[in-house]
């Protein structure tokens, strides 16, 4: 990407704000993007700030490794962030070297907390310009503890191939409201049709301005995220429950298939988006704000979908901040939440009904590790193996027990990491 040198400090300050918020807490990226100061920037500045922050997050590990080689001791976080975006401008966004250095020094000089470090910023960045770093080494792109976990769980080659995708900006995946006219829709969106019916497009920019958006012909949904609802294979007139529904892609799939859908989520604010998307698509569902684990409703459903809260490490292609917000202790804590929600899902599945459990996590404790305990607690349910290729899943993702471990590198161009298991209630 080529940037104009006249994009000044406000855009770069916004990038710093996005970066610092993303690294400070979960959902920090979304929070920063919704701040009035960011929204008040001209569109061109907003676009540059977002591109700069996201490129930094995608190569954060490699950038820090390069910086640490030049720093005698760790600087304050605010200074490190200025250095980080300076490196990304110079070596990734093709900002002219003088502009990458000068604007970074100016950023340091513009605030009392960093002013004393402007000489350091200048020296470090100029030193890296003389000895350009390698910012694409896969092993340096992921946090070390996560890379080690992936290598142990899936093998060194898989860990390498998964991490290599971190630096890449992904294409956009779309789910169509109907299979009818899919070929024409794909042509209109300049998209490739993937197995299962997902459309993948290299288009950029505001999706609301893309063809057929206002007509309600499609919604944004990663290829992996579309598979769990397909595996429920709901028929018109069946009842379906989406237990953790926001942001709503799976609710839309179930409703588009003709099911009578109930969508619940603990966040009333996030359900607003679900309702808006249903309205745009011309689809209907009962939308209720409730805690899925102790929802008082006693109804049973033909199809139950539990996309449980998780560490979300599988979403790093579009949300690289999750890699740096995750902590080792999160996995064990979330595994307990998932088990409780699975028990709730089992109670709501009719005899003869189907239950699909999924998480957008790459951590086995949140996926494979849930199955044996769940079946022991609920002998009336059994695994319903997924057939090879079913739902559009790559065959490499199918495990021996018929569950799915969708890894990001298993599809050309990448996909989100997911674990998916399907159960049937027999009694």
């Amino acid at each position: 990407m080529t940037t104009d040198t006249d994009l000044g400090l406000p855009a770069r300050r916004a990038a710093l704000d996005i970066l610092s918020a993303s690294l400070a807490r979960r959902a920090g990226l979304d929070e920063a993007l919704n701040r009035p100061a960011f929204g008040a920037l001209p569109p061109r500045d907003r676009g540059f700030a977002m591109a700069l922050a996201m490129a930094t997050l995608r190569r954060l590990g490699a950038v820090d490794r390069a910086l640490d080689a030049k720093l005698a001791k760790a600087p304050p976080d605010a200074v490190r962030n200025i250095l980080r975006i300076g490196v990304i401008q110079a070596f990734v966004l093709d900002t002219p070297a003088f502009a990458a250095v000068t604007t970074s020094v100016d950023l340091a000089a513009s605030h009392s907390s960093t002013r004393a470090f402007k000489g350091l910023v200048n020296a470090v960045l100029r030193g890296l310009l003389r000895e350009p770093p390698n910012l694409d080494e896969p092993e340096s792109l992921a946090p070390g503890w996560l890379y080690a976990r992936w290598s142990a769980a899936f093998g060194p080659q898989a860990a390498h191939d998964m991490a290599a995708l971190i630096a890449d900006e992904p294409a956009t995946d779309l789910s169509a409201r109907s299979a009818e006219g899919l070929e024409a829709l794909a042509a209109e969106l300049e998209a490739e049709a993937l197995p299962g019916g997902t459309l993948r497009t290299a288009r950029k920019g505001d999706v609301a301005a893309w063809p057929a958006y206002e007509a309600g012909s499609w919604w944004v949904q990663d290829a992996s995220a579309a598979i769990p609802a397909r595996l429920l294979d709901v028929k018109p007139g069946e009842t379906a429950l989406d237990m953790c529904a926001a942001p709503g892609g799976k609710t839309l799939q179930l409703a588009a298939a003709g099911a009578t859908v109930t969508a619940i989520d603990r966040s009333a604010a996030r359900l607003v988006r679900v309702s808006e998307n249903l309205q745009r698509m011309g689809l209907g569902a009962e939308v209720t704000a409730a805690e899925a684990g102790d929802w008082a409703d006693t109804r049973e459903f033909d199809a139950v979908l539990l996309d449980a809260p998780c560490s979300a490490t599988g979403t790093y292609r579009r949300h690289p901040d999750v890699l740096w917000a995750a902590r080792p202790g999160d996995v064990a804590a979330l595994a307990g939440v998932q088990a409780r929600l699975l028990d709730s899902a089992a109670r709501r599945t009719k005899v003869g009904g189907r239950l699909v459990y999924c998480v957008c996590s790459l951590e086995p404790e949140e996926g494979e590790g849930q199955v044996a305990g769940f079946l022991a607690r609920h002998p009336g349910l059994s695994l319903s193996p997924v057939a090879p290729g079913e739902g559009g899943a790559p065959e490499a993702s199918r495990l021996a027990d018929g569950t799915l471990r969708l890894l990001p590198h298993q599809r050309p161009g990448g996909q989100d990491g997911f674990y998916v298991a399907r159960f049937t209630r027999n009694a």
Side-chain angles (χ1 to χ4, degrees):
M1 173 180 176
T2 302
T3 60
D4 293 333
T5 57
D6 60 348
L7 280 163
L9 295 188
R12 289 169 169 86
R13 287 196 191 98
L16 285 174
D17 187 38
I18 295 168
L19 180 61
S20 61
S22 298
L23 297 176
R25 55 199 166 276
R26 281 189 174 275
L29 175 60
D30 290 339
E31 176 192 310
L33 296 179
N34 287 317
R35 288 175 184 167
F38 180 76
L41 288 172
R44 191 157 163 257
D45 281 19
R46 284 201 306 272
F48 176 73
M50 186 64 177
L52 177 52
M54 291 298 286
T56 305
L57 288 166
R58 293 188 195 287
R59 289 178 170 81
L60 191 73
V63 169
D64 279 353
R65 185 179 66 173
L67 289 174
D68 289 342
K70 296 291 184 184
L71 292 164
K73 62 179 182 178
D77 288 346
V79 176
R80 181 177 284 273
N81 283 340
I82 291 171
L83 286 166
R84 285 164 166 163
I85 70 167
V87 172
I88 290 297
Q89 288 176 85
F91 298 109
V92 178
L93 299 188
D94 296 328
T95 302
F98 77 89
V101 175
T102 299
T103 55
S104 298
V105 172
D106 289 346
L107 277 173
S110 68
H111 198 278
S112 59
S113 65
T114 55
R115 192 168 298 136
F117 294 89
K118 64 181 185 180
L120 175 72
V121 169
N122 182 66
V124 169
L125 292 179
R126 291 189 181 280
L128 287 172
L129 287 170
R130 289 191 294 271
E131 301 175 70
N134 177 6
L135 301 181
D136 293 309
E137 175 57 42
E139 193 166 349
S140 69
L141 293 173
W145 71 274
L146 270 178
Y147 191 95
R149 285 178 62 89
W150 298 348
S151 186
F154 311 119
Q157 187 61 53
H160 176 278
D161 293 345
M162 288 158 58
L165 292 170
I166 296 172
D168 297 338
E169 183 179 356
T172 300
D173 291 346
L174 312 172
S175 287
R177 189 186 190 284
S178 171
E180 294 181 14
L182 193 64
E183 188 175 329
L185 182 62
E188 197 173 9
L189 290 162
E190 303 167 277
E192 168 195 7
L194 304 181
T198 290
L199 299 179
R200 173 164 290 181
T201 178
R203 277 178 172 264
K204 306 294 181 187
D206 181 10
V207 297
W210 292 2
Y213 176 87
E214 289 296 339
S217 297
W218 54 266
W219 61 91
V220 176
Q221 186 177 34
D222 186 81
S224 287
I227 291 170
R230 291 185 192 136
L231 296 181
L232 281 170
D233 191 26
V234 294
K235 301 295 190 292
E238 285 192 315
T239 57
L241 172 65
D242 189 356
M243 288 185 63
C244 299
K250 298 175 182 67
T251 296
L252 293 172
Q253 285 179 279
L254 297 171
T260 300
V261 182
T262 300
I264 65 174
D265 197 275
R266 65 184 301 178
S267 171
R270 296 185 75 210
L271 282 173
V272 170
R273 183 177 170 192
V274 177
S275 296
E276 290 173 348
N277 279 325
L278 284 164
Q279 183 175 8
R280 178 176 68 85
M281 302 300 300
L283 297 169
E286 176 189 341
V287 179
T288 302
E291 169 56 59
D294 53 17
W295 186 38
D297 197 303
T298 59
R299 282 177 290 173
E300 294 180 343
F301 297 81
D302 297 304
V304 176
L305 178 58
L306 173 58
D307 185 354
C310 66
S311 61
T313 51
T315 67
Y316 64 73
R317 293 164 54 250
R318 291 181 178 82
H319 305 283
D321 53 306
V322 302
L323 297 175
W324 307 99
R327 298 291 180 268
D330 296 347
V331 176
L334 286 163
V337 173
Q338 292 146 11
R340 182 173 64 87
L341 291 174
L342 264 168
D343 291 343
S344 177
R347 295 194 301 271
R348 306 181 194 286
T349 306
K350 284 182 180 179
V351 174
R354 295 91 67 203
L355 163 63
V356 165
Y357 168 73
C358 64
V359 283
C360 55
S361 165
L362 292 165
E363 313 319 309
E365 298 92 325
E366 300 181 82
E368 294 91 331
Q370 292 289 346
V371 171
F374 174 70
L375 291 174
R377 297 192 304 274
H378 299 279
L381 284 101
S382 60
L383 270 176
S384 175
V386 177
E390 187 178 354
E395 291 196 20
S397 69
R398 187 179 184 272
L399 302 181
D401 63 357
T403 62
L404 299 178
R405 169 48 76 187
L406 294 147
L407 298 178
H409 69 289
Q410 289 171 337
R411 189 187 300 273
Q415 62 182 0
D416 280 356
F418 261 82
Y419 177 80
V420 190
R422 181 174 59 191
F423 305 91
T424 299
R425 176 171 282 288
N426 306 305

